[in-house]
Amino acid sequence: MYVIITYDISEKKVSVVNKLLKKYLTWTQNSVFEGNLSVGVLKKCLMEVSRIIDKEKDSIYIFSVEREQNIKKEIIGIEKNYDDIIL
Amino acid sequence: MKHNYYIFKSGRLKRKDNTVFLETIDEERKYLPIESIDSLHLFGEIDLNTKLLNYLNSYGIIINFYNYYGYYSGSYYPRKQQVSGYLLVNQVQHYLNKEERLFLAKQFIISGVFHMVRNLRHYENTKEYIETINRELSDIDEVPVIPALMGIEGRIRNVYYSAFNSILKHGFLLNKREKRPPNDPVNVLISFGNSILYSTVLGEIYKTQLDPTVSYLHEPSTRRFSLSLDLSEIFKPLIIDSLIFYTINNKILNLEDFDSKEEICLLSEEGKKKFIKEYEKKLSTTVKHRKLKRSVSYRSFIKLECYKLIKHLIDDELYKPLKAWW
């Protein structure tokens, strides 16, 4: 499943959430993560996130598409690939 | 959706922020999400420490190392978690019993040859070769010992390789299969392709309880994981050879991607990258499985083959090797 996660989080917790998401997805923009995850792993990730954040103040948006081909992505400026497997 | 990561750059790989962090000598920094790593393939000059190894250990991630020329030189394996003494005993028993061993060895060859013929059928002017191969194959039932079986396999392979010349376009030719060292582009591709396939098969075997050192067609010996050579027989023509035809005939790889120096031919870094990209694409291609009634990728077919072998070894179901039906 293709997933985009964006967040808006109070200063204290930003780096914690950032570190956690880095385990699962590729950090493509300041507060945006992208990548391919299976349904189970995504659930695990979201559970860990929801344990950390303050639900009164912070917010996390999760966009997911079952088939990656169904999403149209356009880029202006620098592109950061999330699926680079040859480095 | 786990990936294999291929690292050609040189630099340092370390644990940072509970994930894998790559810092290259030209100061490029990149995080590799640990949850998405299936295995790491290191082609460049990479430093790493035990902290990273311990961390990869807990996720069961394998690291494969390749030498300067792109040949597989070894792997770092996490502690094996899937172990079964019962299966090991059975695996060895099938090796010791001459008939059981011969049966399995034959299955690997039958499947391998099936896929060779399947490759040839796609192209014109290969009828003669197919007939010769089928004639050789018909002797296989009466073969009494492994060396004779290897003889048949060798003869079939010679015919098969000589058919390459009528398939390959754009000035690529295969005169004779030469391994040490490969001396022309096609030989290089076969060697390079087979070596990445071995490590893929080994990685899949490692996810099951099978012991990679006990094999049937190849003689189990020290320093080699010979079961992955056995299973590769099935997948070499299916995956690597068809990929070689595809990359060459569609001009994905050109003669400029190879460097020849004093009778040794090498695939350039750019060439390796192109080939690996196509290889990964191929591995993740899916086919609808008739029995499982769902889509299965080429990579999963390798694992399914391991499971079928296990079932055979514990007397659950007779081993029927993969014969691509699509």
Side-chain angles (χ1 to χ4, degrees):
Chain A
M1 187 178 306
Y2 178 70
V3 185
I4 303 169
I5 295 185
T6 65
Y7 57 75
D8 194 349
I9 288 173
S10 58
E11 231 170 275
K12 259 197 230 160
K13 297 257 171 81
V14 173
S15 68
V16 186
V17 172
N18 183 288
K19 264 185 201 176
L20 194 143
L21 289 176
K22 261 187 251 171
K23 274 168 63 178
Y24 295 89
L25 298 160
T26 312
W27 192 16
T28 45
Q29 281 180 357
N30 270 341
S31 51
V32 179
F33 283 82
E34 275 179 64
N36 259 310
L37 291 180
S38 70
V39 181
V41 178
L42 177 63
K43 256 190 190 160
K44 189 176 146 206
C45 170
L46 296 183
M47 223 157 70
E48 281 186 55
V49 173
S50 61
R51 231 179 275 152
I52 296 169
I53 60 163
D54 180 350
K55 285 188 183 139
E56 306 281 292
K57 290 177 190 155
D58 306 333
S59 81
I60 289 186
Y61 289 7
I62 302 120
F63 304 88
S64 59
V65 189
E66 217 156 293
R67 285 169 59 84
E68 199 188 332
Q69 295 93 308
N70 291 349
I71 199 163
K72 199 175 149 199
K73 186 173 163 185
E74 278 173 62
I75 292 144
I76 299 172
I78 308 159
E79 182 181 9
K80 268 201 203 167
N81 264 337
Y82 71 92
D83 60 349
D84 258 352
I85 54 159
I86 301 168
L87 303 166
Chain B
M1 276 290 288
K2 294 200 170 191
H3 305 289
N4 287 321
Y5 284 90
Y6 297 84
I7 300 172
F8 283 90
K9 296 209 166 102
S10 296
R12 185 164 188 85
L13 207 57
K14 58 183 178 188
R15 173 179 178 172
K16 196 179 174 195
D17 294 349
N18 272 335
T19 190
V20 181
F21 182 64
L22 173 71
E23 204 173 20
T24 63
I25 38 174
D26 36 2
E27 310 236 317
E28 195 187 318
R29 289 135 183 275
K30 197 174 161 75
Y31 286 96
L32 311 179
I34 186 125
E35 295 278 353
S36 73
I37 304 177
D38 186 70
S39 60
L40 292 168
H41 297 257
L42 308 186
F43 288 87
E45 241 177 77
I46 302 276
D47 290 337
L48 39 86
N49 60 9
T50 47
K51 205 165 102 183
L52 176 77
L53 293 180
N54 282 327
Y55 191 53
L56 293 179
N57 213 352
S58 59
Y59 282 86
I61 294 167
I62 297 170
I63 311 180
N64 295 309
F65 299 96
Y66 298 83
N67 69 10
Y68 177 77
Y69 301 101
Y71 290 103
Y72 175 70
S73 59
S75 307
Y76 167 75
Y77 283 93
R79 180 175 60 85
K80 195 161 165 66
Q81 275 158 350
Q82 303 277 5
V83 287
S84 157
Y86 174 68
L87 179 64
L88 179 61
V89 170
N90 279 295
Q91 213 183 324
V92 175
Q93 200 181 28
H94 276 74
Y95 167 74
L96 292 173
N97 184 324
K98 269 190 191 144
E99 270 158 37
E100 293 284 11
R101 180 182 174 193
L102 198 62
F103 170 78
L104 282 173
K106 274 181 191 171
Q107 301 307 310
F108 295 135
I109 289 190
I110 289 172
S111 169
V113 174
F114 178 88
H115 291 138
M116 287 181 204
V117 173
R118 181 174 176 270
N119 273 345
L120 296 185
R121 266 203 316 256
H122 274 288
Y123 299 91
E124 291 167 17
N125 313 327
T126 51
K127 253 203 182 117
E128 278 172 49
Y129 298 108
I130 294 176
E131 278 166 14
T132 324
I133 289 177
N134 283 336
R135 228 175 296 133
E136 291 278 1
L137 192 65
S138 57
D139 297 338
I140 211 166
D141 284 332
E142 288 117 50
V143 169
V145 283
I146 299 272
L149 190 65
M150 290 290 234
I152 292 185
E153 196 245 338
R155 285 199 294 279
I156 290 179
R157 205 163 274 276
N158 276 341
V159 179
Y160 176 61
Y161 282 135
S162 54
F164 273 37
N165 284 339
S166 40
I167 293 173
L168 296 173
K169 291 183 207 159
H170 311 303
F172 281 89
L173 283 174
L174 177 71
N175 295 322
K176 190 172 174 283
R177 176 77 178 111
E178 200 72 60
K179 286 181 195 167
R180 301 182 188 140
N183 57 1
D184 65 61
V186 185
N187 271 309
V188 171
L189 277 183
I190 298 175
S191 293
F192 181 69
N194 288 350
S195 99
I196 44 176
L197 179 69
Y198 288 145
S199 65
T200 309
V201 173
L202 187 56
E204 297 301 318
I205 292 178
Y206 216 75
K207 290 175 191 164
T208 71
Q209 285 101 335
L210 286 168
D211 188 307
T213 56
V214 182
S215 57
Y216 302 98
L217 175 60
H218 297 81
E219 199 61 44
S221 72
T222 46
R223 303 193 306 272
R224 297 206 297 179
F225 291 121
S226 37
L227 187 62
S228 76
L229 303 184
D230 276 9
L231 285 172
S232 298
E233 288 299 324
I234 298 174
F235 295 98
K236 272 188 316 203
L238 184 66
I239 296 175
I240 299 299
D241 296 344
S242 60
L243 209 58
I244 291 173
F245 301 152
Y246 174 76
T247 48
I248 288 180
N249 287 354
N250 289 301
K251 286 192 171 172
I252 293 168
L253 285 172
N254 304 309
L255 284 169
E256 291 93 68
D257 289 314
F258 299 86
D259 310 319
S260 274
K261 276 184 219 156
E262 296 162 13
E263 309 223 330
I264 303 176
C265 188
L266 292 174
L267 184 57
S268 69
E269 193 180 305
E270 212 37 55
K272 279 181 204 153
K273 283 183 185 168
K274 284 190 220 164
F275 191 78
I276 285 174
K277 201 173 151 206
E278 296 303 324
Y279 175 72
E280 280 293 316
K281 234 195 253 168
K282 181 101 186 173
L283 277 189
S284 55
T285 323
T286 57
V287 179
K288 185 100 176 172
H289 196 286
R290 288 186 295 193
K291 231 185 193 168
L292 298 176
K293 300 215 163 56
R294 63 177 169 87
S295 297
V296 172
S297 66
Y298 276 76
R299 182 192 297 282
S300 318
F301 271 112
I302 302 177
K303 198 152 83 184
L304 287 179
E305 214 55 24
C306 297
Y307 289 147
K308 280 197 298 198
L309 194 58
I310 293 177
K311 280 195 157 185
H312 175 81
L313 294 174
I314 60 171
D315 280 334
D316 191 23
E317 207 177 299
L318 197 70
Y319 179 63
K320 263 202 228 138
L322 174 71
K323 285 184 177 172
W325 59 81
W326 55 92

